[in-house]
Amino acid sequence: MKKPKLKLYNTLTKKKEIFKPLKNKLVRFYACGPTVYDYPHIGNLRAYVAEDILRRTLELNGYKVKHVMNITDVGHLTSQADEGEDKVELAARKHKKTAWEIAEFFTKVFLDNLKTLNIKMPHIMPKATEHIKEMIELIKKLEKKGYTYRIDDGIYFDTSKLKDYGKLTGMNFKQLNRYLKAGARVPFNPQKRNITDFALWKFSPKDVKRQMEWPSPWGIGFPGWHIECSAMSMKYLGNTFDLHAGGEDHIPIHHTNEIAQSEAATGKPFVKYWFHVAFLLVNGKKMSKSLGNYYTLQDLLDKGYGWREIRYALMSAHYRQQLNFTLRGLESAKRSVERIIEFMRRLRDYSNGKKHKTFHKILTRYKYKFWKEINNDLNMPKALAVLFEFINKVNKLMDQKKISKGDAKKAIKLMLWFDQILGLKLDEILKEERKLPKEAEELIKLREEARKKKDYKTADKIREELRKKFGIILEDTKDGVRWKWEK
Ligand SMILES: [Zn+2]
């Protein structure tokens, strides 16, 4: 079978491109991680699920992925314009805990959420507070090259000094400045030279004692959010790496500024492919606590939904399309997952039928179709449609007894291959304890009665029926009859 080519949409070039890593088969992949001050909501989790599908697709295509995801435990302010409070310090006051305790607690919550949704763990998860030294070094480099200036509350990056500033947005410098001005919720600091300029290092306020602060060549303070990602991604992946992911809301500010700092400091291109996941809406509206349409993972689990259903609902739309999340949609995800699981059980328990002469062709065809869709910029809706087409096809063949047990085993193998992308832990279905079907139970009883009456002919007939119909083998031992599944 010819392998389909992997194509990904690149925000930087605004095109779907054939994916080719910078170095052979290694993909150096950075994903912006959480700011650990609250429970992740399902909008956050959608992005992590989409990035998980991306990583699984890369691995399915034979790439070795080095996956780095940061933990932002300092420096993310309540306003995108470098104003307002540090989210972690604010949460600490609210919960009457230390900032360190808040960060530790919500980091654990985040990791638990990833585990629950069977999202593959990044290989390295650097914390911002443990990389202050690297951030200061990077700012020093930028200072030396003349990209920085000082105002009352910190050291800033002068975005007008970079020729292609804003290239990720498709807007030029002026347009981007206008765009940010129009969208601003708080007034910009008038000392800033340009609206697009951003803080590299913020000084601790004079009137409030911060819990998280560090000395620096410029004064006591803390790093800006953007410099964290530049410093940590380049530390673990090099000055230029393959793939950088995040939510689409990161494009105009966070990722634009990561590019600016990194490329200004190194003089080299920062990232080859940019991957952005679209927003999640709930009932057609932006999620917010005041609208009552705000869900965490635990909220949905508490409503009785299983992790597979939640994962399925989050991954079933195309990652570049807004996902309108509704409880009705979750119900339909639940039915889809049930159909997949029922199919796995049926394949596992299937025992009769004759060998299909061209079954291998059917398997290869569906494998290719699925792979082609997933490799086409991770087209999950279409890949899932292929999956269900396959399920329907094989179900029909089983209804008509047109495949053998061996064929069914091959179908299981393909399902587990699909599951490398789906991440639904379908192998667990195979390991579930199987219950004896009611009809089989009754047949065993009938056989016992026949044996008591020494009617061995009937007993043997029933034994054979159990084997043929259910794949159950009976053994008569001195402690009575025992049964097991035919291998
Ligand atoms: Zn980031």
Side-chain angles (χ1 to χ4, degrees), residues 4-10 13 15-21 63 272-273 375:
K5 284 209 168 90
L6 174 58
K7 282 175 269 172
L8 288 178
Y9 181 84
N10 186 353
T13 58
K15 274 192 300 233
K16 230 192 259 179
E17 297 175 10
I18 291 179
F19 182 78
K20 198 171 176 298
Y63 295 113
K272 190 171 177 189
Y273 301 96
N375 268 9

Side-chain angles (χ1 to χ4, degrees), residues 30 32-33 70 225 229 244 250 254-255 258:
Y30 186 87
C32 285
N70 64 297
W225 175 37
C229 281
H244 194 315
H250 288 159
H254 183 54
H255 288 166
E258 275 189 48

Side-chain angles (χ1 to χ4, degrees), residues 34 67-71 110-111 114 121-127:
H67 184 185
V68 179
M69 183 190 280
N70 64 297
I71 299 287
F110 174 73
L111 296 179
L114 295 191
M121 282 294 151
H123 303 104
I124 306 173
M125 298 189 87
K127 287 182 185 166

